[in-house]
Amino acid sequence: MAMDRVQLLLVGLPALLFISDLSHIFAPPPPHLRHPHGHPPRHPDPAAAAIQQPNLEGGAGFGTTVELQFCASCSYKGNAMTMKRMLETSFPGINVFLHNYPPAFPKRVLSKIMPVIQVGAIATIMAGDQIFPRLGITPPPLFYSLRANRFGTMATIWLIGNFAQSFLQSSGAFEVYCNGDLVFSKLAEQRFPSEFELRDLIGSRLPPSPFGKNMGNVLS
């Protein structure tokens, strides 16, 4: 009876987590992500703009919105913050927004399934001698080989699963949009933009202002 409860817990808990993750996957995304990746929103929330960067009337960047979409699981947030500070310093009044760029939908689904596979494999190693007979299946020879070193096998399953999950959750993106137009794509260029390069790309798209369109270049 105790083993039945353990098996029920090992199967029920991953199933519950999987169903919960699926509900998040198919739920409507936040407002700033309800658009194709090539077409970010052109009218950010005014309240969010006020929180992230106050508008300075008459500044070189007044009326310009830059959106940095980066891979959060790739630890690109530090680069995004550096670029944000550089743009805000070079072009006073500019609005810079940071957003996570999620991986493709199939990768997101697989990343949610991976923990279920991990727990299922570990449960099989621990209680396979009872699970297989109840399913009417003869345990394969590989099962006994893995069970002979069960702790090493379970540790290997856990490490490989975590590595696969980390890979599936990453998009490798660092996409820069200026007023809704894509001006730089790490996915296409396979590299990060330099600060000088990004400043020139954004500066060339600034509207005329009393302080000069290329104020960022003067500051350099």
Side-chain angles (χ1 to χ4, degrees):
M1 181 64 67
M3 183 57 69
D4 291 339
R5 293 179 180 177
V6 172
Q7 292 175 358
L8 180 62
L9 179 62
L10 291 174
V11 175
L13 182 59
L16 180 62
L17 294 175
F18 178 60
I19 294 173
S20 175
D21 289 335
L22 282 181
S23 66
H24 288 292
I25 290 177
F26 291 103
H32 69 272
L33 293 180
R34 292 178 185 171
H35 58 81
H37 294 315
H39 302 280
R42 297 177 181 271
H43 302 287
D45 183 6
I51 294 175
Q52 293 198 36
Q53 171 66 27
N55 288 330
L56 302 177
E57 294 188 4
F62 178 70
T64 299
T65 298
V66 174
E67 185 176 2
L68 302 178
Q69 295 190 9
F70 60 95
C71 174
S73 64
C74 302
S75 300
Y76 291 170
K77 186 174 182 179
N79 288 10
M81 291 297 298
T82 299
M83 295 298 185
K84 172 181 169 68
R85 287 191 293 266
M86 179 273 294
L87 292 174
E88 291 173 342
T89 301
S90 301
F91 309 111
I94 198 170
N95 293 313
V96 183
F97 299 89
L98 306 182
H99 297 307
N100 178 48
Y101 189 104
F105 180 76
K107 292 182 68 175
R108 297 204 306 272
V109 173
L110 290 175
S111 70
K112 301 302 182 181
I113 296 176
M114 186 56 60
V116 179
I117 297 176
Q118 282 179 285
V119 175
I122 293 175
T124 301
I125 296 299
M126 293 178 59
D129 52 349
Q130 297 188 29
I131 295 175
F132 285 115
R134 294 192 178 189
L135 297 176
I137 302 174
T138 302
L142 178 62
F143 165 72
Y144 295 105
S145 300
L146 296 176
R147 187 179 174 83
N149 183 21
R150 67 178 68 185
F151 294 108
T153 300
M154 289 188 293
T156 301
I157 292 173
W158 193 256
L159 290 174
I160 293 177
N162 288 349
F163 175 80
Q165 189 175 8
S166 176
F167 170 76
L168 293 171
Q169 290 176 343
S170 64
S171 63
F174 194 89
E175 316 300 289
V176 183
Y177 300 88
C178 181
N179 293 329
D181 297 324
L182 180 65
V183 298
F184 185 88
S185 171
K186 180 179 178 295
L187 296 177
E189 300 291 338
Q190 296 298 309
R191 63 178 178 84
F192 284 99
S194 68
E195 293 191 23
F196 295 105
E197 179 183 13
L198 186 58
R199 183 163 51 198
D200 289 341
L201 289 172
I202 300 301
S204 65
R205 288 166 172 78
L206 294 180
S209 72
F211 292 91
K213 185 176 180 180
N214 296 318
M215 183 176 182
N217 294 331
V218 174
L219 293 177
S220 62

